[in-house]
Amino acid sequence: MKIGIFFGGPAREREVSFAGGRTALANLDKGLFEPVLVFVDGRGRFRLVTPDFLQSPSLRDVLPQGDSTFSVYDESLPVDLLNAALPELRPEQFREHFDLAFLAMHGPDCEDGAIQGLLEWYKMPYTGPGLVGSAVGINKILQNELIALANGQQKKTATISRDAYERTDKAQFFQSLTEHLGLPIVIKAPHQGSSIGVVIVREADLNQFCRGVEQCFFTMSVQPDGWSQLSQWTSLTAEQKHELAQKMVSLDSGISFPVVIEQTGEVITHPAEFIQKLDALAGSGSITLASVNAEDEVLFEEFISGQEFSCGVIQDDDQTAIALPPTEIYNTVAFDFETKYKSNVAKKRIPVDTTLENNRKIQLAVADVFKRLGINVYSRIDGFLTATGDVLLHDPNTIPGMSPSSLIFKQMAEIGLNLSNSLTYLIRQSLRERIRTGKNTFRLKQLLADLDAKLAARKANPLPERVVSFGPTDEQFIAAKQQYNELAASATVRPSLMYIKNKTESHEVPVYLLFKDTIDELEAALGQPRHPLLIETTERTKHITDRYV
């Protein structure tokens, strides 16, 4: 079966998606699937690329940059420049190149039902939840309301539109929010993922609050009493202006390009053009810059104190939702974009450091919300366990991050599925769910039957085993895990890991320990009995795991 791996996209999470495309390509089972790479650019156009496209450390590094001294994304580049380097693939041509679209994209247009709807129009099956679950999963305001209806949870929230915020007395509004929600206040852009557009205001500081709201609207004020560095534009050096314009390109912390000058309607696509325009407008009064994809509403939530967790959910053929073991995130004040992807501050453990009953309560809550919100195939749902034992859920992720160390893959490893097995599960279960839509049913059933026949044949005639041995250093452990994953995806052997501690002691490393980061962590886990929740979740999902292992 030919699998089109869709990565990139117009959303702010495209760098996360770029890494996810690399993971999918490397770990797709080559005995079952033939990968075809589809880069989705910032304007939403589809482009066939070769594997070397994914070898750069970031997306900007591989895009043509022209003669500028800035590093930009493709929305800032002439269309002709990208067309010359990466010819376009039209949606009506998809079926000439692949049988199923593997979606490794995140955020608006990618995780909200937009790309899913386009693919359904062209009768192309895709991975992940369908239209309903995707639409709900991207809207944080709607999520809060539906989760409360589903399980009765109570969490204080408030919203305000951009127009209403511009008209309101900021100090009075901030005071009313603190009276309603208390401090800290969590401010969220309601349609973003990967914790982009999330600000926590911890003190009764109006300036900090207004900066946070602007950040979540993806706007910037250029005026004497503005909240950003742009307010001092005329006093900045040329080097500082260049640095600030380059920072604005950032998708996770800047408002990113293109931006619009709201007072004139002029659209600026490139940071060099931005500097010229602001120099020309200096001293001409108040200016408001907004991303062309700015949010029109902002969500405010009370700050929840408790143990933060993230729990994956998978699905059986009969649509039964089964929660995986939850991961606790600790040693961090906020699990934001910086903490998730750019630092090693946050610590994680599976399951949550609480009672067995509380861990079960988390699993039941996320499985119930998964089903009631119309999500299917798989998802990852975040939440908090409070000191009183209440489970408060938020932010279902319908296409969780897909780096090799992503939480969903760690949780699937706990039930015995390695990276390659997990991707096969996503493809097969997605086919099963696309059949339920009643579109192109006969062809989809054929694809599913062919895949099931290959899986059954592999069970009947197992691949030869290959033992990958490693010694007692972190470097050897890392290299052995990489070799294991490469062999698992090659479909030529069944790899296993063997830890050679010394001349007299060795240990076979089970799949659920593949995600340990260091030898010390591995040895500690090997010397401890398995948590009861992990044992019972493995038993509950054994009929699923057995299909792929």
Side-chain angles (χ1 to χ4, degrees):
M1 188 189 308
K2 290 186 176 182
I3 305 297
I5 300 173
F6 282 56
F7 66 95
R12 298 174 187 276
E13 300 168 74
R14 70 189 74 169
E15 289 287 5
V16 179
S17 173
F18 185 71
R22 188 185 301 121
T23 300
L25 173 65
N27 295 283
L28 207 62
D29 189 319
K30 307 308 186 295
L32 301 173
F33 310 113
E34 179 184 341
V36 178
L37 293 177
V38 182
F39 167 56
V40 185
D41 70 24
R43 294 180 173 96
R45 301 186 181 188
F46 308 96
R47 302 178 185 278
L48 284 177
V49 295
T50 56
D52 60 303
F53 188 87
L54 283 167
Q55 300 314 305
S56 295
S58 74
L59 178 54
R60 273 187 288 175
D61 292 331
V62 77
L63 292 173
Q65 293 293 328
D67 300 326
S68 169
T69 59
F70 291 94
S71 174
V72 297
Y73 290 98
D74 52 271
E75 299 99 314
S76 297
L77 301 170
V79 176
D80 292 346
L81 184 62
L82 205 60
N83 285 342
L86 305 169
E88 186 177 354
L89 175 70
R90 300 293 303 165
E92 57 268 24
Q93 299 171 309
F94 286 169
R95 289 180 63 175
E96 300 171 17
H97 296 275
F98 45 85
D99 303 300
L100 176 140
F102 186 98
L103 299 181
M105 302 190 297
H106 311 287
D109 291 323
C110 308
E111 207 171 349
D112 59 1
I115 184 67
Q116 290 83 359
L118 180 144
L119 291 167
E120 290 204 6
W121 182 266
Y122 285 97
K123 303 297 186 291
M124 173 57 64
Y126 54 88
T127 56
L131 297 174
V132 173
S134 298
V136 171
I138 200 66
N139 189 327
K140 291 179 173 62
I141 296 172
L142 179 61
Q143 288 167 17
N144 280 335
E145 296 172 357
L146 293 181
I147 292 173
L149 286 173
N151 64 12
Q153 75 177 30
Q154 296 182 351
K155 182 168 64 172
K156 294 178 183 177
T157 66
T159 61
I160 192 168
S161 69
R162 173 78 190 287
D163 289 342
Y165 178 74
E166 294 300 330
R167 292 192 303 266
T168 193
D169 181 302
K170 308 293 188 295
Q172 185 177 358
F173 178 61
F174 183 37
Q175 182 179 347
S176 68
L177 276 179
T178 56
E179 291 172 357
H180 173 51
L181 303 176
L183 285 171
I185 293 174
V186 182
I187 312 174
K188 293 182 177 180
H191 300 98
Q192 306 298 317
S194 294
S195 297
I196 292 173
V198 176
V199 176
I200 299 176
V201 178
R202 300 181 182 277
E203 301 171 356
D205 183 328
L206 180 61
N207 285 353
Q208 182 188 1
F209 173 75
C210 291
R211 280 195 299 270
V213 173
E214 279 200 349
Q215 182 177 331
C216 294
F217 275 128
F218 299 105
T219 62
M220 299 181 82
S221 299
V222 187
Q223 56 191 36
D225 60 346
W227 315 108
S228 76
Q229 190 181 357
L230 288 178
S231 300
Q232 298 104 41
W233 183 262
T234 55
S235 63
L236 299 180
T237 66
E239 183 178 351
Q240 288 173 324
K241 290 176 180 179
H242 188 286
E243 181 181 348
L244 184 55
Q246 179 62 69
K247 186 177 179 181
M248 284 180 60
V249 174
S250 172
L251 295 167
D252 58 281
S253 59
I255 66 173
S256 73
F257 290 93
V259 297
V260 61
I261 301 174
E262 293 193 332
Q263 284 76 9
T264 65
E266 295 174 89
V267 176
I268 303 172
T269 61
H270 197 280
E273 178 189 0
F274 169 78
I275 291 175
Q276 293 174 356
K277 183 60 66 174
L278 255 65
D279 281 343
L281 291 173
S284 61
S286 176
I287 301 169
T288 302
L289 300 167
S291 167
V292 294
N293 295 312
E295 294 275 2
D296 190 53
E297 203 168 15
V298 158
L299 170 66
F300 305 93
E301 295 180 343
E302 65 173 314
F303 183 86
I304 305 297
S305 295
Q307 291 171 276
E308 188 168 7
F309 65 82
S310 189
C311 187
V313 187
I314 60 174
Q315 189 182 41
D316 204 348
D317 276 5
D318 64 0
Q319 294 191 298
T320 299
I322 305 174
L324 298 169
T327 300
E328 181 180 359
I329 298 100
Y330 64 102
N331 196 46
T332 180
V333 294
F335 198 42
D336 56 12
F337 188 92
E338 179 76 21
T339 305
K340 283 182 178 180
Y341 301 108
K342 295 186 176 181
S343 74
N344 296 315
V345 173
K347 303 295 183 183
K348 306 174 186 73
R349 56 185 165 222
I350 302 176
V352 177
D353 185 19
T354 183
T355 64
L356 176 61
E357 189 56 40
N358 277 341
N359 273 293
R360 288 171 174 162
K361 188 188 296 185
I362 290 170
Q363 287 185 315
L364 287 172
V366 297
D368 186 51
V369 164
F370 176 94
K371 181 175 61 178
R372 288 173 178 258
L373 265 58
I375 305 172
N376 54 37
V377 184
Y378 81 131
S379 182
R380 202 195 76 233
I381 299 176
D382 301 336
F384 291 90
L385 177 69
T386 70
T388 57
D390 293 325
V391 176
L392 295 178
L393 302 180
H394 64 94
D395 200 16
N397 292 267
T398 52
I399 305 182
M402 290 189 179
S403 73
S405 59
S406 289
L407 297 181
I408 191 73
F409 291 137
K410 291 183 177 182
Q411 293 169 10
M412 293 179 86
E414 291 289 351
I415 64 169
L417 296 174
N418 62 30
L419 272 171
S420 184
N421 301 146
S422 297
L423 297 181
T424 302
Y425 162 82
L426 294 182
I427 291 169
R428 185 196 176 276
Q429 195 60 31
S430 296
L431 273 175
R432 173 62 265 178
E433 287 306 306
R434 300 297 87 83
I435 289 169
R436 296 188 204 279
T437 65
K439 299 173 184 176
N440 209 19
T441 310
F442 182 74
R443 176 173 172 268
L444 297 186
K445 285 186 174 181
Q446 281 185 314
L447 290 172
L448 180 62
D450 290 345
L451 178 55
D452 281 348
K454 289 182 178 180
L455 289 169
R458 185 176 290 180
K459 293 281 288 186
N461 302 283
L463 295 169
E465 292 189 37
R466 170 82 64 84
V467 177
V468 179
S469 301
F470 63 98
T473 69
D474 291 345
E475 292 76 16
Q476 288 174 306
F477 186 30
I478 292 169
K481 289 189 291 184
Q482 182 176 345
Q483 186 182 2
Y484 173 96
N485 287 331
E486 289 172 355
L487 290 171
S490 73
T492 56
V493 295
R494 282 188 300 152
S496 61
L497 278 182
M498 184 67 68
Y499 171 41
I500 310 297
K501 184 174 182 178
N502 52 49
K503 291 182 179 179
T504 61
E505 185 178 352
S506 62
H507 302 271
E508 184 173 355
V509 180
V511 169
Y512 57 81
L513 295 184
L514 284 174
F515 286 97
K516 297 299 178 183
D517 293 322
T518 66
I519 286 290
D520 288 344
E521 290 179 4
L522 176 64
E523 288 192 350
L526 287 169
Q528 295 174 353
R530 216 163 171 228
H531 193 286
L533 184 88
L534 305 180
I535 295 173
E536 64 184 44
T537 306
T538 300
E539 287 299 315
R540 192 182 306 128
T541 55
K542 187 176 184 300
H543 62 292
I544 296 176
T545 302
D546 282 349
R547 187 190 299 274
Y548 304 98
V549 179

